Amino acid sequence: MNNALPQGFVLNGMKTYTIVKPLHSGGFGITYLVKAEVMDGNIPIQAYYTIKEFFPSKSCTRDSNLNVIVSSPSAQELFADAKTNFLDEANVLHGLQHKNIVPVNEVFQQNNTVYYVMKYLGETSLEQYVKNKGGTLSEADAIDIITSLAYAVGYLHDNKILHLDIKPNNIMVYRENGQVSPVLIDFGQAHFPKSKNKVGGYSSGYSPAELKDASIIPDKTADVYSLAATLLFMLAGKTPDEAASLTKARIYRMMPDNISERTSEAIVHAMNSSPSDRPQSSSIFLTSLSDNGGTETESVVVSKPFPVKTVASIVVGILLVGACVFGISKIYFKTLSPKTDTTTATADSMKKDTVQHKADPVLIKKDTVKINPPKPEPKPEPTPRPEPTITVSQKQNNPAKGTIDLGYAVWTGQTLNGKPHGTGTMRFKRSHSIVGCTFEAYSGCFVEGFCEKGVLMSGTLYDDSGTKIEDFVR
């Protein structure tokens, strides 16, 4: 590694640190693995740390004593300002305390530059961790990791700090007390309170397009974009496309088929090209991920005062009561009437009288007899039972609204019995043929149309940018 301090070189802070090896070199500094002797009671043991040295490689070199010197006189003032900023930023980091942000133990100056000492977290980056796990992580594991990182980013934002270089190589993964913990490192591109530094770095696939323009002052949504891109990497196992060429369709194509619609939509939203159209904070991004994992993202509920089973039970009960009354009255009439009279009833006297019921008509025959039985005591009229406000036919005409993941697409709109039924929008997650449509829908396309019992009957096909393609009828 060019211009790195050699193995065995000693740095003197509150402890004496001996360089074991360089770990990483960037545009603004070099990171080393170092060791130091610490006391455990009265027993000396060796502990390992990470030290970052301020070394802007484009304008600096070393003299024979390994001091940092500026390569040209014209860069002296710029170097001095940048060194002061680095020292101030190191002291800010020293004051941060979050389990998912690398802790800074101390800051000191030596060799005409600035150093800060950090906890050693091992050498497994998130990128290497994902590779070791087979190339991708499960949705649940990936969201666990991104949740911890989003809390850390929220803590930075609360302290007016933008990281601006979140990516798998700037996240270390280590085990502590049997738990996997991701830790955010490398604040070389960070923007601190009162910082005079302009945006100086861009990571293809993980940085939003606005970070390419040094004249633009970024906001919190730049870190939100990078969090979403990092989550996409964990799920898909590869770096997302360059921000300038990224489209919704490409994000959908990268997504494995078993990823929930909620997570897919959260990533697409957070990686929008426009900062104003992204979630405006890491906490809002987390909220969009908080209820992932279900294929049907909203429960489908139909409001109904009387369920169909209840109505049916009422009808059956009334039929049974009617049958019993008819049977008893017939027996009673026959008992009072002479046998000879029962044969005198004519065909005309056998009339049908319809006893109306609100659910079903019930037909009961009345026997005409010569000797009328005593009239029963008048009974109070029964209180009419309210009619159900929703019938089966009404349910079919007024489906509930909900969202259903169909596998190849997601339907948002009217539903019936767990299927698309009525008007709504169908957004495709992968290529799919539509009956009656000349063009095949691809990932990101959507249809605004009408479904009947799960079958798309008619509508308008749009591409992923919202441009109309064609109308169709099945």
Side-chain angles (χ1 to χ4, degrees):
M1 195 176 293
N2 292 336
N3 290 312
L5 295 171
Q7 181 180 353
F9 190 89
V10 174
L11 295 169
N12 296 300
M14 294 175 64
K15 298 181 178 66
T16 299
Y17 303 100
T18 303
I19 291 179
V20 176
K21 63 178 180 178
L23 293 174
H24 175 70
S25 177
F28 291 90
I30 302 173
T31 305
Y32 303 91
L33 174 64
V34 300
K35 60 183 179 181
E37 188 176 274
V38 297
M39 299 299 293
D40 183 7
N42 60 353
I43 301 173
I45 60 173
Q46 277 195 346
Y48 290 88
Y49 301 89
T50 302
I51 286 184
K52 184 160 186 178
E53 176 188 44
F54 174 63
F55 190 92
S57 56
K58 291 183 179 180
S59 59
C60 290
T61 185
R62 296 188 191 275
D63 64 14
S64 58
N65 295 318
L66 300 180
N67 294 316
V68 176
I69 58 172
V70 182
S71 54
S72 66
S74 61
Q76 284 285 356
E77 186 176 351
L78 291 175
F79 174 79
D81 288 343
K83 178 181 170 183
T84 300
N85 284 336
F86 186 87
L87 180 60
D88 291 343
E89 292 161 6
N91 285 319
V92 170
L93 291 175
H94 183 40
L96 298 179
Q97 293 185 355
H98 193 283
K99 65 178 182 178
N100 300 111
I101 297 173
V102 61
V104 173
N105 296 345
E106 66 166 308
V107 183
F108 63 92
Q109 297 190 56
Q110 186 179 329
N111 303 327
N112 192 35
T113 190
V114 180
Y115 298 87
Y116 60 81
V117 184
M118 300 169 286
K119 179 179 180 179
Y120 177 57
L121 301 169
E123 298 179 36
T124 302
S125 68
L126 179 60
E127 182 176 44
Q128 187 60 50
Y129 177 79
V130 172
K131 289 180 180 177
N132 293 346
K133 287 290 186 178
T136 60
L137 299 184
S138 70
E139 183 174 358
D141 288 345
I143 289 179
D144 282 346
I145 289 174
I146 214 67
T147 297
S148 297
L149 294 171
Y151 282 132
V153 170
Y155 175 78
L156 290 176
H157 292 173
D158 288 344
N159 285 276
K160 312 300 182 187
I161 300 170
L162 303 178
H163 189 281
L164 302 182
D165 199 20
I166 300 169
K167 58 185 179 182
N169 271 337
N170 283 343
I171 298 162
M172 303 304 293
V173 179
Y174 79 108
R175 288 189 175 273
E176 187 173 56
N177 300 324
Q179 301 252 340
V180 173
S181 295
V183 179
L184 198 55
I185 65 168
D186 199 341
F187 286 76
Q189 311 289 352
H191 192 275
F192 292 82
K194 300 180 182 179
S195 175
K196 297 178 182 178
N197 290 345
K198 293 183 178 180
V199 176
Y202 180 87
S203 295
S204 180
Y206 299 101
S207 295
E210 65 264 23
L211 293 192
K212 274 192 170 182
D213 188 345
S215 66
I216 293 178
I217 299 176
D219 60 20
K220 294 186 289 186
T221 65
D223 283 341
V224 172
Y225 181 103
S226 299
L227 283 171
T230 300
L231 176 57
L232 182 57
F233 163 78
M234 289 189 280
L235 297 172
K238 58 183 179 180
T239 299
D241 291 341
E242 165 73 27
S245 61
L246 193 65
T247 63
K248 291 181 181 180
R250 290 188 178 187
I251 298 175
Y252 282 121
R253 288 191 194 107
M254 280 188 68
M255 213 81 63
D257 289 342
N258 61 343
I259 301 304
S260 71
E261 181 64 20
R262 183 176 291 274
T263 296
S264 299
E265 292 301 321
I267 291 173
V268 169
H269 184 200
M271 294 183 72
N272 197 293
S273 59
S274 171
S276 62
D277 290 333
R278 300 172 198 148
Q280 295 300 295
S281 69
S282 58
S283 61
I284 295 175
F285 174 57
L286 271 187
T287 299
S288 66
L289 289 169
S290 62
D291 190 24
N292 70 83
T295 56
E296 186 167 314
T297 56
E298 289 184 30
S299 58
V300 179
V301 179
V302 178
S303 176
K304 46 189 179 185
F306 291 98
V308 173
K309 289 184 178 179
T310 303
V311 175
S313 300
I314 293 171
V315 172
V316 171
I318 292 174
L319 287 172
L320 289 174
V321 171
C324 291
V325 171
F326 170 72
I328 293 170
S329 62
K330 187 172 182 180
I331 294 171
Y332 181 70
F333 293 159
K334 286 184 177 182
T335 304
L336 295 177
S337 305
K339 291 182 181 179
T340 55
D341 291 335
T342 59
T343 59
T344 63
T346 64
D348 292 335
S349 67
M350 300 294 292
K351 297 181 181 178
K352 293 183 180 180
D353 183 30
T354 303
V355 178
Q356 296 294 336
H357 181 262
K358 291 177 177 58
D360 265 323
V362 180
L363 298 179
I364 301 177
K365 295 180 179 179
K366 285 187 178 180
D367 290 326
T368 303
V369 295
K370 290 184 177 180
I371 301 175
N372 294 325
K375 292 183 179 180
E377 291 282 332
K379 294 182 180 179
E381 289 292 326
T383 303
R385 202 177 282 273
E387 293 189 11
T389 57
I390 291 183
T391 65
V392 175
S393 62
Q394 286 175 320
K395 280 177 61 181
Q396 291 174 345
N397 293 332
N398 298 286
K401 290 186 177 180
T403 300
I404 301 175
D405 192 333
L406 303 171
Y408 63 89
V410 174
W411 171 264
T412 302
Q414 295 179 306
T415 65
L416 181 66
N417 299 327
K419 294 181 180 181
H421 186 81
T423 58
T425 300
M426 184 175 290
R427 189 173 294 276
F428 293 91
K429 297 165 67 175
R430 54 177 178 264
S431 296
H432 189 77
S433 297
I434 303 172
V435 176
C437 195
T438 308
F439 297 90
E440 182 178 89
Y442 59 85
S443 175
C445 287
F446 63 94
V447 165
E448 291 181 349
F450 175 79
C451 279
E452 185 174 345
K453 296 180 180 178
V455 179
L456 191 58
M457 303 301 294
S458 63
T460 303
L461 175 65
Y462 298 87
D463 66 16
D464 59 332
S465 68
T467 302
K468 178 179 176 179
I469 297 177
E470 69 170 319
D471 297 319
F472 67 91
V473 177
R474 187 181 181 88

